């Protein structure tokens, strides 16, 4: 029987309209029409930073080195795989890292620990993935400093904290900032909603990681990032499945990420046949997702989606995303970390 013809992926429901995404890449009529609103965004960003600078608002520090990895663009920049790469590097260097996050999309509002088997809806999909994949203490809280303090109380051996996202969370004082860019860079350079920027760029950071061309306008040390899929998928019990075993099988690919088409394209580049590809909203909880019952395709997904799919679809196969960062990045990170001295709690940023 011939495999079903691949179907084009659907667009995420809560992602910006394709027209707006295109507008974010150039300074056309739509972008200029939204530009006055971006001025308001810029004023709000500048005013908030000024409040921290003059001491009206104060940042707090947990007392061990803090590394924040985030992005200045809206949508998926690929920061979580970078966080995981940083955590694994720190572990290999003998550090005892812990990870903190807001836990975007979770149904809870408290500060809590994330276990390897924590439901993603309660802790957020990215923290759940990090806890499962990196075997590292992870805590989530609306205020990152609360998460950091709870983590250190539960794991006093922690000697460095990595914050997944949070470049704009100025209430947490930090020692090292890593800004991650996808291959679309800064787009048209405008702030939201006229462009993709959450805050003006360039702005001071310690390290830049970019998937595309080097980001213009910054003298910060920048390092190239390459994303590839692993050559195996993972079952719910952790058993690896070589992708070559899936060659010739019709697959149902789903992705609830910012840019699902990228995942689908990488699957096809591995020689896999996508009989159907469905893009869902970023951080989708999959509660309303209906698996086609009349087509017994093998279900394949991202690692981030797997932590939400496995409770209901334990046969789903998750394909890990691997990142390769220029080796100079880790040397630069180590040098900056070596220069950091623990600071007292409640210190200003």
């Amino acid at each position: 029987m011939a495999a079903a013809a691949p179907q084009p992926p659907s667009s995420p429901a809560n992602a910006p309209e394709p027209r707006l995404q295109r507008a974010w890449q150039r300074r056309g009529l739509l972008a200029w029409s939204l530009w006055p609103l971006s001025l308001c965004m810029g004023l709000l960003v500048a005013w908030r930073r000024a409040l921290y600078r003059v001491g009206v608002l104060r940042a707090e520090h947990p007392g061990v080195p803090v590394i924040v990895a985030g992005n200045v663009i809206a949508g998926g920049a690929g920061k979580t795989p970078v966080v995981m790469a940083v955590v694994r590097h720190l572990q290999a260097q003998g550090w005892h890292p812990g990870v903190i996050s807001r836990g975007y999309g979770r149904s809870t509002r408290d500060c809590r620990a994330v276990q390897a088997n924590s439901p993603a809806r309660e802790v957020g999909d990215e923290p759940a993935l990090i806890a499962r994949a990196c075997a590292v203490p992870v805590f989530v809280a609306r205020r990152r400093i609360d998460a950091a303090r709870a983590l250190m109380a539960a794991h006093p051996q922690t000697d460095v904290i990595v914050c997944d996202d949070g470049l704009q969370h100025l209430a947490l004082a930090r020692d090292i900032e890593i800004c991650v860019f996808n291959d679309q860079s800064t787009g048209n350079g405008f702030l939201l909603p006229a462009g993709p920027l959450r805050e003006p760029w360039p702005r001071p950071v310690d390290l830049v990681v970019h998937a595309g061309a080097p980001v213009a306008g910054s003298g910060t040390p920048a390092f190239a990032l390459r994303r590839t899929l692993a050559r195996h998928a993972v079952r719910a019990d952790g058993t690896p499945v070589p992708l070559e075993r899936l060659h010739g099988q019709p697959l149902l690919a789903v992705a609830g990420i910012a840019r699902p088409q990228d995942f689908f394209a990488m699957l096809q580049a591995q020689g896999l046949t996508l009989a159907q590809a469905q893009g869902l909203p970023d951080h989708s909880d999959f509660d309303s997702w209906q698996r086609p019952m009349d087509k017994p395709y093998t279900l394949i997904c991202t690692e981030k989606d797997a932590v939400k799919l496995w409770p209901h679809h334990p046969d789903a196969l998750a394909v890990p995303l691997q990142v390769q960062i220029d080796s100079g990045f880790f040397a630069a990170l180590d040098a900056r970390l070596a220069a950091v001295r623990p600071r007292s709690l409640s210190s200003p940023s």
Side-chain angles (χ1 to χ4, degrees), residues 3-200:
Q7 299 182 9
S10 55
S11 298
N14 72 341
E17 292 294 331
R19 183 185 178 194
L20 185 55
Q21 285 184 318
R22 290 195 297 270
W24 283 358
Q25 297 308 307
R26 61 187 184 90
R27 296 188 176 185
L29 179 61
L30 179 56
W32 280 113
S33 67
L34 295 172
W35 179 70
L37 295 177
S38 71
L39 293 180
C40 297
M41 178 74 169
L43 289 174
L44 289 174
V45 170
W47 175 250
R48 185 164 170 268
R49 282 196 172 275
L51 292 178
Y52 278 98
R53 187 167 54 250
V54 301
V56 175
L57 298 176
R58 294 179 66 84
E60 298 178 81
H61 195 282
V64 298
V66 175
I67 302 171
V68 174
N71 51 287
V72 296
I73 61 170
K79 58 178 176 47
T80 298
V82 172
V83 167
M84 294 167 62
V86 167
V87 167
R88 288 167 175 150
H89 172 76
L90 293 172
Q91 291 171 324
Q93 295 297 111
W95 290 86
H96 300 89
V99 176
I100 60 175
S101 172
R102 181 180 64 167
Y104 183 86
R106 64 190 177 112
S107 60
T108 57
R109 299 171 63 87
D110 60 348
C111 174
R112 62 173 57 197
V114 182
Q115 309 297 336
N117 59 351
S118 292
R121 66 170 57 87
E122 296 180 3
V123 298
D125 50 14
E126 289 164 342
L129 170 60
I130 294 170
R132 180 184 178 100
C134 296
V136 65
V138 181
F139 273 70
V140 294
R142 297 183 68 188
R143 296 179 70 244
R144 271 69 157 196
I145 188 64
D146 293 340
R149 288 172 175 161
L151 188 155
M152 293 180 63
H155 303 274
Q157 75 278 15
T158 300
D159 51 15
V160 59
I161 288 177
V162 182
C163 182
D164 181 19
D165 205 1
L167 283 185
Q168 293 80 38
H169 186 73
L170 302 181
L172 176 70
R174 68 287 308 269
D175 302 286
I176 299 173
E177 289 188 322
I178 304 170
C179 189
V180 184
F181 288 92
N182 60 28
D183 55 9
Q184 294 181 340
S185 187
T186 58
N188 60 16
F190 286 159
L191 295 178
L192 292 168
L197 292 177
R198 298 176 177 179
E199 56 180 319

Side-chain angles (χ1 to χ4, degrees), residues 215-241:
V215 182
S218 173
T220 303
F223 303 91
L225 165 72
R226 182 171 177 264
R227 300 185 180 95
T228 58
L229 292 182
R231 294 188 177 276
H232 68 277
V234 179
R235 298 187 189 276
D237 62 2
T239 304
V241 178

